[in-house]
């Protein structure tokens, strides 16, 4: 038999799927995969049900329904002061991962260099390599996740097509500062490069921090593609509704890729997301307060167990150093151990690094119910006491 594509075949099953299967097999509390619990807004779900009953239920425009595109433009005007043409600068996708794929397939030519900051989401590299891009990796590392500016500047060259920027960052929970973003903007201008900005956690920012989209900085309007996710804003990750915002000339090649990937997205879900984006500030502020409280709840519990918990400014995730517990193995061994023996699943942080050498941290998801967090902490306390 002739072989399948060598690039995609070289990647195994994602660590998220692996640990979720292990959690299920052992009846573990799953603090590994980032699916939220108990946060879904009832009104948005009701709107989806109403829309599927009333219709239409046929293909909407591949660019998204006008209603949702207008709602996305209004959302970004309201929160970031962006003045967008919804019909020329907004495209709806089947989730943020598809938005990423469309951006990368639409922009990368074989041989183009693509700058990436580790730790990184697992879909970036397979897509870039399949598109023919050459990854140039730069690392931020725990405990502070500081941006190494010299290394970042050295990763850029005349062959650089784009950088993929994730902020707030998974799994680090880092919210990039305005100063960091300004430095990056200077590199983009110097090397005539683009930025694909994965901003799915844009509303999940804590302790009075502020999310600043790179596209809002001077000179960045024509260089940035901003990716958003209804799954993260409304805790409805299974809906797979995302979007891309970009200047018309930049969005056009991305739309060409999108039309041959998923083409379109369910119209009832688009109607519900359009409704949700118009919710008042109380919804957005309430989501942030609730998740910040759950972050603090989990952090306090993990510290009580004996972990050294790292600061997290955004996203769904806390990273914690398990060495104070006396475990001498690596993070994959540790996460398997606590899943199988303590009944709590987490994700090894080394999975987000190509070298897998940052190997003594576990990532825990705090977008869970208080009951689930309490059960996880009780199980960990019981296990490590014994």
């Amino acid at each position: 038999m002739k072989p399948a594509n060598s690039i995609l075949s070289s990647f195994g099953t994602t660590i998220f799927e692996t640990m979720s299967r292990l959690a299920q097999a052992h009846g573990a509390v799953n603090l590994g995969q980032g699916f939220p619990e108990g946060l879904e807004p009832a009104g948005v779900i009701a709107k989806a049900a109403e829309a599927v009953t009333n219709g239409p239920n046929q293909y909407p425009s591949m660019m998204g329904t006008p209603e949702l595109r207008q709602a996305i433009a209004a959302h970004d005007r309201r929160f970031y002061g962006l003045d967008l043409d919804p019909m020329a600068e907004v495209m709806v996708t089947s989730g943020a991962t598809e938005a990423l794929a469309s951006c990368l397939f639409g922009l990368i030519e074989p041989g183009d260099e693509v700058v990436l900051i580790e730790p990184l989401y697992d879909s970036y590299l397979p897509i870039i390599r399949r598109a023919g891009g050459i990854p140039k990796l730069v690392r931020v590392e725990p405990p502070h996740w500081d941006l190494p500016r010299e290394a970042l500047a050295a990763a850029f060259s005349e062959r650089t097509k784009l950088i993929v920027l994730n902020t707030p960052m998974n799994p680090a929970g880092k919210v990039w500062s305005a100063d960091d973003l300004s430095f990056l903007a200077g590199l983009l201008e110097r090397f005539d490069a683009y930025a694909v900005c994965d901003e799915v956690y844009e509303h999940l920012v804590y302790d009075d921090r502020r999310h600043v989209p790179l596209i809002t900085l001077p000179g960045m309007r024509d260089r940035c593609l901003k990716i958003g996710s209804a799954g993260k804003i409304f805790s409805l990750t299974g809906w797979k509704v995302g979007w891309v915002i970009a200047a018309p000339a930049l969005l056009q090649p991305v739309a060409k890729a999108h039309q041959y990937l998923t083409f379109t997205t369910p119209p009832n879900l688009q109607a519900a997301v359009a409704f949700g984006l118009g919710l008042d500030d109380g919804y957005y502020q309430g989501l942030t307060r609730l998740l910040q409280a759950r972050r603090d709840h989990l952090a306090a519990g993990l510290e009580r167990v004996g972990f050294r918990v790292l600061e997290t400014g955004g996203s769904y995730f806390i990273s914690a150093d398990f060495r104070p517990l006396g475990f001498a193995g690596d993070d994959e061994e540790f996460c398997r151990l606590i899943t199988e023996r303590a009944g709590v699943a987490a994700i090894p942080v080394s999975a987000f690094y190509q070298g897998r050498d940052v190997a003594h941290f576990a990532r825990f998801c705090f977008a869970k119910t208080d009951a689930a967090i309490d059960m996880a902490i009780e199980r960990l306390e019981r296990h490590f006491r014994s």
Side-chain angles (χ1 to χ4, degrees):
M1 298 291 288
K2 292 180 179 178
N5 178 263
S6 60
I7 293 173
L8 296 180
S9 296
S10 70
F11 291 91
T13 303
T14 71
I15 189 65
F16 312 106
E17 180 70 13
T18 298
M19 294 309 298
S20 287
R21 289 178 186 174
L22 195 64
Q24 191 171 35
H26 291 273
V29 179
N30 191 350
L31 302 187
Q33 198 161 3
F35 46 76
E37 298 173 351
L39 297 166
E40 305 90 329
V44 175
I45 294 173
K47 192 68 176 180
E50 174 189 315
V52 79
T53 299
N54 294 342
N57 287 296
Q58 308 308 323
Y59 295 127
S61 164
M62 77 170 212
M63 297 298 289
T65 64
E67 178 187 19
L68 178 52
R69 294 161 77 189
Q70 290 163 4
I72 293 166
H75 167 275
D76 278 51
R77 183 182 307 111
R78 170 183 172 189
F79 287 102
Y80 311 119
L82 282 171
D83 187 15
L84 300 168
D85 178 346
M87 297 300 106
E89 298 181 293
V90 180
M91 182 178 77
V92 177
T93 60
S94 292
T97 301
E98 193 254 305
L100 283 162
S102 295
C103 289
L104 297 171
F105 283 132
L107 294 175
I108 294 172
E109 290 274 26
D112 285 342
E113 292 182 356
V114 179
V115 178
L116 298 159
I117 300 175
E118 293 185 291
L120 47 81
Y121 180 51
D122 66 343
S123 80
Y124 297 167
L125 278 172
I127 299 169
I128 289 165
R129 287 177 172 151
R130 187 68 184 93
I134 300 170
K136 306 291 285 186
L137 299 174
V138 178
R139 295 160 63 102
V140 299
E141 296 183 0
H144 302 300
W145 314 103
D146 291 330
L147 185 67
R149 295 191 178 187
E150 288 186 11
L152 182 62
F156 277 77
S157 76
E158 297 305 320
R159 296 180 298 278
T160 302
K161 174 62 71 70
L162 60 89
I163 184 172
V164 180
L165 179 70
N166 180 209
T167 180
M169 192 178 191
N170 170 26
K174 182 178 179 65
V175 180
W176 298 104
S177 70
D179 195 42
D180 285 334
L181 294 175
S182 180
F183 177 78
L184 176 55
L187 292 175
L188 296 179
E189 291 189 319
R190 177 182 169 190
F191 292 98
D192 190 23
Y194 302 114
V196 174
C197 302
D198 179 352
E199 301 183 15
V200 298
Y201 298 105
E202 61 187 306
H203 287 291
L204 310 183
V205 178
Y206 313 118
D207 305 314
D208 297 321
R209 292 177 175 85
R210 179 171 169 260
H211 171 66
V212 179
L214 183 62
I215 197 172
T216 62
L217 269 63
M220 292 297 102
R221 188 69 176 76
D222 294 323
R223 295 191 179 276
C224 293
L225 304 99
K226 179 179 181 290
I227 293 173
S229 168
K232 300 302 191 294
I233 294 175
F234 303 113
S235 307
L236 297 164
T237 59
W239 282 19
K240 300 300 293 179
V241 179
W243 51 83
V244 183
I245 290 166
L250 199 49
L251 189 60
Q252 185 177 26
V254 176
K256 295 290 179 65
H258 163 71
Q259 73 178 340
Y260 296 122
L261 286 172
T262 62
F263 180 66
T264 194
T265 300
N268 69 304
L269 300 183
Q270 293 195 53
V273 172
F275 167 80
L277 289 174
L279 292 174
D280 64 24
D281 289 352
Y283 168 74
Y284 293 93
Q285 293 165 2
L287 177 66
T288 301
R289 283 195 302 269
L290 184 56
L291 281 169
Q292 181 173 315
R294 292 187 183 185
R295 178 203 63 177
D296 296 345
H297 184 182
L298 178 58
L302 291 173
E303 288 172 349
R304 194 165 65 245
V305 172
F307 290 89
R308 183 179 298 117
V309 177
L310 305 189
E311 181 180 9
T312 185
S315 81
Y316 285 154
F317 306 110
I318 282 177
S319 293
D321 188 342
F322 53 77
R323 287 176 298 180
L325 293 166
F327 185 82
D330 65 27
D331 57 351
E332 187 167 344
E333 293 169 329
F334 179 81
C335 289
R336 287 184 177 274
L337 171 78
I338 62 171
T339 303
E340 295 171 354
R341 299 188 186 177
V344 179
I347 297 291
V349 169
S350 66
F352 298 88
Y353 289 90
Q354 292 306 290
R356 294 187 173 269
D357 52 339
V358 179
H360 47 269
F361 294 90
R363 189 198 78 171
F364 296 89
C365 178
F366 55 82
K368 306 294 181 180
T369 63
D370 285 332
I373 292 171
D374 286 339
M375 181 180 293
I377 296 302
E378 288 169 9
R379 289 182 176 190
L380 289 168
E381 285 182 314
R382 187 163 58 246
H383 173 78
F384 285 106
R385 275 201 308 266
S386 65

